[in-house]
Amino acid sequence: MSSTSNYTTLIFDIGDVLFSWSPQTKTSISPETLREFLSSPTWIDYERGRITQAECYAGVGAEFSVDPTEVGRAFQDARNSLQSNEELISVIRHLKARSDGMLHVFAMSNISAPDYESLRTKPVDWSVFDGIFTSAGVGERKPNLGFYKAVISSTGADPSRTIFVDDKMENVLSARSLGMHGIFFDDRRKVVRALYNLLGDPVERGRQYLTVNAKKLLSVTDNGIVLRENFSQLLILEATGNRGLVNLTDTHRTWNFLQGKPSLTTEDDLDTTSLGFTVMGSPEDVAHSVMDDMLDYIDDDGIIQTWFDHRRRRFDPVVCVNVLTLFYSYGRGHQLDRTLHRILEVLLHRAYLDGTRYYATPESFLYFLGRLLEITNDVSLAACIKPLLIERIQERIGADGDALALSMRLRLCAHLGLCNDVDLHTLLGLQCEDGGWEIGWIYRYGSSGIKIGNRGLTTSLAMKAIQEMQQHFPSPPSSPSSVPAVPLIKQAYTTAQSPPERFSQHKSDSSTSPSSIAASPSASSTRQDL
């Protein structure tokens, strides 16, 4: 799992990828008929260099009962309509420039010699390409494998380290069948994202996103309301160790989820307070004083509650886990034995699968349980939780989830010594063009169900998850023979133009084997009430 790209070659189709064109002409030939011309046997021979342009137009005219002169005018209009995809070409130029000479870029097109000559008159930065292969020059067309093999032979490219982009699925399939990484060009933004994700260092890109947005990593609800809150800021700080990225409310005792004057809640809560003490630290006498106060908020079942308010008795398993983390950190876990027993029942019976009152996904409960074990390093606690936790997280591998859920799942897998390439592959594909990850929903308001997420938090945990999986399960280094030198092509058919860390460093424990594997549905819940 290298943090740097394994790809050294990019191959792009030209028509409808690097260039767009219009089949709408000033002639009597309809766009539909013009496109039918392009699939005719005559046109295929023309693109393979077997017949002249005049022979092609005459043959197409005869096949479709159209005057060859009209055919020629239609294709001239089509050539005149060609427009370069400057945004994509700019991305290619940027990717190549930052590769320190390691990335080689080629074009590979089904195109006749006259049409290619016309194409080259377009004002485009052709120097970005190390070589351009045409069907007329090679005598083969995509999707025939002979065309691909000729390109591979001429460039010396390793198919396993080559990315191929085309708007025809059959062409992509042929590339994949030879071992290339094929990308189907159906949406420019998706393709650009895929290129950045395949060719960039995900951790470095995430770090750049966090740096650019430092102090602005705010949370947002699923109905578009921006929130300044402490919980996500504490988790970002814990994952990155960088206080310069976050804004936190100064407090000497208890914490409120929201910052400033709370508009939706008024009371401080045990959850954020517990997180604040375990992330930020505090004088020991203050911590014990606050824990003494917390013990006053236990219900008749002996379960710790969420709020510093006797009128609002709310139970949430994740809140309980975070309070347990605080108490065990200070050697007072035994005071919450009944709360621990309740948590073990939730884990045993998978009561978390639809989320909890305040937390949106099953991963939240499992993740914070792993954090409890990591921070406290309590042997007896690990003995009663870890074996079952391994089973439960392995059940989640490959299940649906947003980027935050995947990041939590991966971090817990790394902590427990479980390789999880399936979710890692999915997470890497969710990185956005700006280097951050898509928002993930971590909690919600208990009564309204409004979800809350934070891109900064998702990005921080995604970066950490990738790093930890790389540390625990490094890929073997590539052999020198698998990294070929790609020459500049100069052959008859090719034109070459001139994101204080606590839950971070984990130990692998192979003494317990995971057992059942079954994908489970994810669901919704969260943290504050109205």
Side-chain angles (χ1 to χ4, degrees):
M1 299 179 187
S2 172
S3 62
T4 58
S5 172
N6 288 322
Y7 295 101
T8 57
T9 306
L10 274 176
I11 301 176
F12 287 90
D13 179 33
I14 294 180
D16 293 320
V17 175
L18 296 174
F19 282 83
S20 60
W21 64 284
S22 172
Q24 187 72 51
T25 70
K26 299 175 183 177
T27 69
S28 61
I29 299 172
S30 69
E32 293 76 21
T33 300
L34 188 66
R35 289 192 179 276
E36 287 181 24
F37 290 173
L38 302 180
S39 300
S40 68
T42 300
W43 191 265
I44 290 173
D45 281 344
Y46 178 46
E47 286 189 333
R48 297 171 77 176
R50 295 182 176 180
I51 59 176
T52 66
Q53 185 179 82
E55 290 172 327
C56 172
Y57 290 174
V60 168
E63 185 176 348
F64 289 88
S65 301
V66 178
D67 186 336
T69 303
E70 189 81 343
V71 174
R73 285 198 297 266
F75 279 110
Q76 185 58 51
D77 287 349
R79 284 190 288 268
N80 292 340
S81 74
L82 280 165
Q83 296 289 329
S84 59
N85 187 339
E86 286 301 322
E87 192 170 2
L88 178 57
I89 293 172
S90 177
V91 168
I92 297 169
R93 186 186 302 112
H94 173 68
L95 290 170
K96 187 174 182 181
R98 75 178 192 183
S99 73
D100 296 325
M102 296 300 295
L103 182 65
H104 300 267
V105 181
F106 302 95
M108 178 180 172
S109 179
N110 289 340
I111 190 170
S112 68
D115 286 336
Y116 179 62
E117 290 176 8
S118 175
L119 179 70
R120 288 305 298 265
T121 66
K122 300 296 180 180
V124 172
D125 180 12
W126 295 102
S127 67
V128 73
F129 300 102
D130 295 284
I132 299 175
F133 295 83
T134 69
S135 57
V138 177
E140 291 278 7
R141 290 178 80 256
K142 297 176 288 184
N144 293 346
L145 294 181
F147 196 178
Y148 299 82
K149 291 177 180 178
V151 173
I152 291 170
S153 175
S154 182
T155 62
D158 179 351
S160 68
R161 305 187 70 179
T162 298
I163 298 171
F164 177 88
V165 182
D166 200 294
D167 67 307
K168 302 290 192 300
M169 182 53 74
E170 61 266 30
N171 298 343
V172 174
L173 189 149
S174 290
R176 289 173 177 169
S177 72
L178 292 174
M180 299 182 192
H181 184 99
I183 299 177
F184 177 52
F185 189 96
D186 60 344
D187 180 276
R188 185 202 61 80
R189 291 186 62 85
K190 285 168 56 178
V191 171
V192 170
R193 174 189 283 198
L195 290 173
Y196 275 117
N197 291 346
L198 289 167
L199 294 167
D201 181 337
V203 175
E204 181 56 34
R205 291 178 61 214
R207 186 176 293 112
Q208 291 174 2
Y209 171 83
L210 294 178
T211 301
V212 168
N213 293 281
K215 302 289 186 180
K216 298 180 290 184
L217 302 170
L218 304 180
S219 296
V220 62
T221 65
D222 59 1
N223 59 355
I225 299 174
V226 176
L227 292 179
R228 295 181 179 272
E229 48 96 351
N230 288 308
F231 201 91
S232 67
Q233 301 297 298
L234 288 166
L235 288 175
I236 293 171
L237 175 58
E238 182 174 62
T240 65
N242 187 349
R243 182 66 189 264
L245 296 176
V246 300
N247 288 300
L248 286 166
T249 300
D250 291 331
T251 179
H252 299 291
R253 284 187 59 81
T254 59
W255 290 72
N256 196 294
F257 174 74
L258 294 171
Q259 296 181 358
K261 185 178 180 180
S263 57
L264 298 178
T265 63
T266 56
E267 301 85 3
D268 291 351
D269 63 275
L270 282 72
D271 198 19
T272 310
T273 298
S274 296
L275 185 66
F277 274 97
T278 53
V279 173
M280 300 290 292
S282 177
E284 194 161 329
D285 59 333
V286 175
H288 283 291
S289 175
V290 170
M291 284 185 280
D292 290 340
D293 291 344
M294 287 181 173
L295 291 174
D296 194 36
Y297 297 92
I298 292 178
D299 68 9
D300 294 340
D301 293 326
I303 310 304
I304 199 77
Q305 300 296 288
T306 300
W307 304 97
F308 287 102
D309 184 346
H310 291 294
R311 298 167 300 175
R312 300 177 67 190
R313 293 185 175 273
R314 303 287 189 274
F315 161 71
D316 187 286
V318 182
V319 176
C320 290
V321 170
N322 289 334
V323 177
L324 281 166
T325 302
L326 174 61
F327 272 70
Y328 271 93
S329 295
Y330 286 88
R332 297 177 60 171
H334 62 280
Q335 294 180 292
L336 296 176
D337 280 347
R338 294 174 71 183
T339 295
L340 175 61
H341 181 72
R342 182 69 176 274
I343 294 307
L344 291 174
E345 289 179 330
V346 170
L347 181 64
L348 175 64
H349 299 292
R350 303 180 181 84
Y352 54 83
L353 284 180
D354 290 322
T356 65
R357 179 178 178 86
Y358 299 122
Y359 285 84
T361 65
E363 280 72 23
S364 293
F365 175 72
L366 300 174
Y367 175 80
F368 283 107
L369 262 183
R371 181 177 178 272
L372 164 65
L373 299 183
E374 173 67 12
I375 288 178
T376 61
N377 197 29
D378 186 286
V379 176
S380 60
L381 192 63
C384 69
I385 295 178
K386 190 173 181 178
L388 188 55
L389 183 59
I390 288 175
E391 290 187 18
R392 294 296 179 259
I393 193 58
Q394 192 157 3
E395 292 170 358
R396 298 294 303 162
I397 292 176
D400 290 341
D402 60 29
L404 182 64
L406 293 172
S407 300
M408 288 181 162
R409 195 184 298 165
L410 284 162
R411 293 202 66 196
L412 182 53
C413 283
H415 169 56
L416 297 173
L418 301 173
C419 186
N420 184 357
D421 284 335
V422 173
D423 290 324
L424 180 61
H425 176 78
T426 303
L427 179 65
L428 290 170
L430 294 177
Q431 192 169 17
C432 301
E433 290 179 50
D434 60 9
W437 267 264
E438 298 173 345
I439 196 167
W441 307 111
I442 183 170
Y443 25 68
R444 70 180 174 189
Y445 288 95
S447 56
S448 68
I450 295 174
K451 296 178 184 178
I452 305 171
N454 186 301
R455 282 196 71 197
L457 173 58
T458 303
T459 301
S460 299
L461 293 189
M463 291 166 54
K464 202 67 182 172
I466 294 167
Q467 289 175 314
E468 290 167 348
M469 292 305 289
Q470 290 170 351
Q471 291 166 4
H472 285 78
F473 308 101
S475 297
S478 300
S479 62
S481 61
S482 68
V483 190
V486 184
L488 183 66
I489 307 308
K490 294 183 179 178
Q491 298 190 17
Y493 52 84
T494 307
T495 304
Q497 292 296 320
S498 12
E501 278 178 67
R502 305 296 287 273
F503 190 36
S504 57
Q505 297 181 355
H506 309 306
K507 309 173 189 65
S508 172
D509 186 344
S510 59
S511 61
T512 305
S513 300
S515 56
S516 58
I517 303 176
S520 306
S522 57
S524 305
S525 296
T526 302
R527 85 173 326 2
Q528 308 289 329
D529 313 62
L530 293 174

